[in-house]
Amino acid sequence: MVKQSTSILDIGCGPGSVTVGFADANPSATVIGVDFNESQLEVARSHTQHPNRENLSFEQGSIHELSFEDNSFDLIFCQTVFVHISDHEKALSEIMRVLKPNGIFASREVMNSFIVMTSVSDILENARRAIHMGVTVSGGAPDVGLFMGEKLHTAGFEHLNQSLFGRGRL
Ligand SMILES: C[S@@+](CC[C@H](N)C(=O)[O-])C[C@H]1O[C@@H](n2cnc3c(N)ncnc32)[C@H](O)[C@@H]1O
């Protein structure tokens, strides 16, 4: 639970599975999900039909050009989106712009090269390599999770707290 009257933004929210969790856990917060894919937003918007979810809404938009005013959000979340985009600097400058001073930006990203499947199954390892290649060819960054700390530092974010695979500090 975050402090009352908080504003939360989930960028690249996809079907809104995490966004809806923010809204339910923080009924007095304003929670907005943004994604550039309208078909994902259609699914996401179905979550707003619930009677106790007046605090939840979804908008179409790009992480590279957010439609919000400066200093709008207390908490910004972004999960597995930087892996799909190439202009990380622009995305982080937009996040920094719409984040309130002393706000929190939380991100969770992929480190595809760390998921070595050879010992489990050659088929899974081949699938991992295919995903790596596919993401790279389409302009994404399959190992971006390894570099997020550095990117955030360069973009001017402070008090960084990183964890690898959700456990311990880097
Ligand atoms: C792997 S999904 C993650 C969805 C969600 N964050 C989650 O963890 O369930 C990546 C999402 O990022 C969105 N996305 C990709 N590039 C984007 C951009 N430039 N601006 C906004 N959303 C973007 C995609 O449409 C997709 O819904």
Side-chain angles (χ1 to χ4, degrees), residues 12-15 17 35-37 40 61-64 79-81 84-85:
C13 62
S17 342
D35 202 287
F36 76 166
N37 186 334
Q40 294 287 312
S62 169
I63 195 168
H64 298 121
Q79 174 165 275
T80 55
V81 178
H84 294 298
I85 63 174

